[in-house]
Amino acid sequence: MSEVIVVTSGKGGVGKTTTTANLGVGLAMRGNKVVLVDTDTGLRNLDLLLGLENRIMYDLVDVISGRVAYKKALVRHKKFETLFLLPTSQVKDKSAVNPEQLVQLCEELRKEYDYILIDCPAGIEQGFQTAIAAADCAIVVTMPEISAVRDADKIIGELGRADKENIKLVVNRIRPQMVEKGDMLDMGDINDILSIECIGQVPDDELVVTSTNRGEPVITMENSHAGQAYRNIVGRICGEQIPFMEFPKEGFFAKLKRVFGR
Amino acid sequence: MSDAIVKIRGTRSGLQLSFAKDADYEAIEKEILQRFESGSSFFVTGTEVFVSKDSLPHEQIEKLKRLFHRRGMRFRTEKHAAAHAKGKEQQQDQRQPAKEAAKEPKPGKDTSTEPQVQQMVVINKTLRGGQEIQTESSVLVCGNVNPGAQIIAGGSIDIRGTCRGMVHAGAYGNSKAFIIADHLMPTQIRIANLIARSPDVVEKTDKAERASIKDGRIVIEPIER
Ligand SMILES: Nc1ncnc2c1ncn2[C@@H]1O[C@H](COP(=O)(O)OP(=O)(O)O)[C@@H](O)[C@H]1O
Ligand SMILES: [Mg+2]
């Protein structure tokens, strides 16, 4: 049974692409056949995170427009043989791919792959509608800050409107010291507002950045906290019961109220 | 366009539509859709649209009703009809007269023929940022009202969850209207023409609270339920 998962957020820069790359590698490391579809046209960078930039020949728009078969456009990962990338176009028109076309492509991909991960553009415009159209499941990525959580809330509403009810939450870039001081929303605050199942709590970790520069996602690094958090998410996606990593204690409603309660 | 198939007249409460004598339904619908497409400023979300129930056969009225509801507009066939919810939530709302709460809702039936019946809009989910409910009746939310969400109700508002959005009860002047929530911590409370802003620091309450007007002020007090 293959699964199409869209990784989305509303707000940009919260870690959609990072999450997509890491989960893709993690699922492939477990022996799954995985394809990552980058739909963030114009802001192509999933290939960078995977160190595949120089291998791109064709892109999503070439495939959708029928210029090439999708198999020709797929880029195989250097290290993880069951991981493939379908890159997006760097330049072409954002509206070049419509929802029906992506649904059709995913139907094709389902025949060959266990997991199809779609990296979604920010916002709730056409690009978002296209990216979510084929998804069985949506992963909403947010950060522990008010504006990111509010945008996540909107996105969850939009997903509901599109009849996507299977929605999971990943909270990225958690900084335990800040949470402890009450300068950052804690998980209690976030769950309170978003009230959807959380499958990941990823700490802020410099290794995310350094690994990006090397083109090898942090999930491969044994000693990285973020890497461990991503491995846990992969386990949960595969149906395992994994407790969350220890984070400092919760209960900073006051901060939340200060900002939400205005 | 003096010989238009659809004639639109502005009234105090919204728009009144009438149709050319022998116009067929297809043509009417087509013209209305065209107006939607053209981004006509007439048909904005929340607008109340009145069509006399004798102006078209019943099933055509029903079709029109659905057409306007899909666009988030309210639709009436009687002068003092009861309310309809507006906005994005339209399709999901289950409207049911309070007295018949136990029975199945009958979406097809227009209860507006019984103007005495108090209606209540029931929302069975969390209202998220950017979502909005507007209705002349009362509202029951079985879920939270999140920051950035908004409820504007002619009657009272009862939230079986946490309220962090903007809530306005008695929006059409009923100062007896009230607001209840399990956790009442909205950005703003309005009742009739009064506004209360929440304090800058709000603690999450353990008790359900009720906001109402007393001596010309909005007061909030804990309640049992
Ligand atoms: N857990 C993390 N710790 C540190 N930096 C991170 C983490 N997650 C993401 N980043 C950094 O944040 C930036 C934005 O991430 P990205 O995945 O491109 O976001 P998006 O795709 O949502 O726009 C990148 O520079 C990335 O390296
Ligand atoms: Mg991105």
Side-chain angles (χ1 to χ4, degrees), chain A residues 150 152-154 156-158 160-161 163 189 192-196 253-254 256-262, chain B residues 88 92 126-131 144 146-148 164 185-188 197-204:
Chain A
R150 283 212 183 189
D153 187 50
K154 284 206 180 113
I156 296 166
E158 287 297 320
R161 285 219 307 142
D163 290 329
D189 300 335
D192 214 28
I193 300 259
L194 298 181
S195 46
I196 59 171
F253 284 118
L256 179 76
K257 251 106 280 172
R258 194 153 70 233
V259 193
F260 277 101
R262 228 189 285 280
Chain B
K88 296 176 173 176
Q92 281 118 343
T126 288
L127 280 183
R128 297 187 182 272
Q131 298 181 334
N144 298 339
N146 278 358
R164 294 187 180 87
M185 36 207 280
T187 43
Q188 230 185 49
R197 197 173 62 90
S198 64
D200 283 342
V201 181
V202 192
E203 289 301 318
K204 188 161 185 170

Side-chain angles (χ1 to χ4, degrees), chain A:
Chain A
M1 264 298 286
S2 65
E3 192 169 10
V4 180
I5 303 173
V6 63
V7 181
T8 179
S9 73
K11 194 173 156 77
V14 300
K16 288 182 295 297
T17 303
T18 306
T19 300
T20 309
N22 278 288
L23 299 186
V25 168
L27 288 165
M29 279 161 70
R30 286 172 170 247
N32 295 295
K33 284 190 82 178
V34 182
V35 58
L36 309 181
V37 183
D38 191 350
T39 66
D40 198 355
T41 313
L43 292 169
R44 185 171 95 186
N45 51 25
L46 192 49
D47 51 321
L48 285 180
L49 267 67
L50 296 164
L52 298 176
E53 191 186 20
N54 56 357
R55 301 182 180 213
I56 293 175
M57 304 288 286
Y58 303 100
D59 60 42
L60 180 62
V61 176
D62 292 322
V63 174
I64 293 293
S65 63
R67 271 192 288 280
V68 298
Y70 80 80
K71 286 198 172 146
K72 278 193 104 168
L74 290 184
V75 186
R76 185 193 289 265
H77 196 271
K78 291 174 276 192
K79 198 161 158 194
F80 308 103
E81 300 229 308
T82 57
L83 178 63
F84 294 82
L85 170 70
L86 181 50
T88 187
S89 159
Q90 194 73 281
V91 286
K92 287 162 194 139
D93 184 8
K94 268 194 191 293
S95 55
V97 183
N98 67 39
E100 294 74 38
Q101 291 167 324
L102 195 66
V103 169
Q104 212 182 343
L105 174 65
C106 286
E107 284 312 311
E108 286 291 302
L109 294 170
R110 277 181 205 269
K111 295 176 194 155
E112 297 277 333
Y113 296 90
D114 303 315
Y115 289 96
I116 299 143
L117 267 52
I118 301 173
D119 187 12
C120 180
I124 51 172
E125 280 81 52
Q126 155 99 58
F128 166 77
Q129 299 297 344
T130 296
I132 67 168
D136 307 313
C137 166
I139 293 178
V140 173
V141 183
T142 191
M143 277 173 32
E145 61 173 52
I146 302 288
S147 63
V149 170
R150 283 212 183 189
D151 283 358
D153 187 50
K154 284 206 180 113
I155 284 292
I156 296 166
E158 287 297 320
L159 286 164
R161 285 219 307 142
D163 290 329
K164 306 285 174 190
E165 300 297 347
N166 187 358
I167 311 174
K168 308 281 196 267
L169 182 70
V170 168
V171 182
N172 189 24
R173 308 199 70 166
I174 299 171
R175 292 163 74 175
Q177 314 86 304
M178 283 186 74
V179 174
E180 198 157 23
K181 279 195 289 177
D183 290 334
M184 196 175 241
L185 299 180
D186 70 17
M187 283 312 303
D189 300 335
I190 295 169
N191 287 331
D192 214 28
I193 300 259
L194 298 181
S195 46
I196 59 171
E197 186 194 345
C198 180
I199 59 160
Q201 300 173 10
V202 183
D204 198 83
D205 187 342
E206 283 177 15
L207 292 174
V208 170
V209 183
T210 45
S211 68
T212 301
N213 297 337
R214 289 191 295 115
E216 191 158 306
V218 73
I219 192 166
T220 59
M221 303 176 78
E222 248 356 282
N223 57 348
S224 155
H225 290 304
Q228 183 60 50
Y230 279 121
R231 285 192 290 278
N232 290 350
I233 298 174
V234 169
R236 293 185 192 109
I237 290 176
C238 297
E240 293 163 20
Q241 295 287 334
I242 302 172
F244 286 101
M245 289 156 66
E246 273 301 306
F247 281 113
K249 64 174 198 313
E250 312 200 323
F252 290 93
F253 284 118
K255 164 73 178 173
L256 179 76
K257 251 106 280 172
R258 194 153 70 233
V259 193
F260 277 101
R262 228 189 285 280

Side-chain angles (χ1 to χ4, degrees), chain B residues 87-221:
Chain B
K88 296 176 173 176
E89 299 317 303
Q90 191 64 60
Q91 288 98 320
Q92 281 118 343
D93 294 344
Q94 292 161 278
R95 292 174 291 112
Q96 39 182 276
K99 285 178 186 159
E100 298 181 19
K103 292 189 205 159
E104 279 292 292
K106 303 186 206 77
K109 187 186 160 210
D110 195 347
T111 45
S112 59
T113 44
E114 308 143 46
Q116 304 303 14
V117 177
Q118 266 280 330
Q119 284 197 337
M120 184 185 272
V121 174
V122 182
I123 315 285
N124 272 319
K125 57 170 197 167
T126 288
L127 280 183
R128 297 187 182 272
Q131 298 181 334
E132 186 182 312
I133 298 294
Q134 185 171 357
T135 170
E136 288 168 36
S137 59
S138 295
V139 176
L140 171 65
V141 182
C142 301
N144 298 339
V145 178
N146 278 358
Q150 186 166 312
I151 300 177
I152 299 170
S156 295
I157 299 172
D158 187 350
I159 297 159
R160 307 291 169 99
T162 304
C163 174
R164 294 187 180 87
M166 204 292 283
V167 278
H168 191 174
Y172 306 101
N174 178 5
S175 55
K176 297 249 176 359
F178 55 85
I179 297 165
I180 296 179
D182 288 350
H183 307 285
L184 188 60
M185 36 207 280
T187 43
Q188 230 185 49
I189 288 183
R190 301 185 184 192
I191 300 176
N193 55 358
L194 295 183
I195 300 179
R197 197 173 62 90
S198 64
D200 283 342
V201 181
V202 192
E203 289 301 318
K204 188 161 185 170
T205 51
D206 316 325
K207 265 216 163 122
E209 286 180 311
R210 169 192 159 109
S212 58
I213 297 185
K214 285 201 175 136
D215 303 327
R217 286 193 326 127
I218 295 180
V219 296
I220 296 174
E221 52 207 347

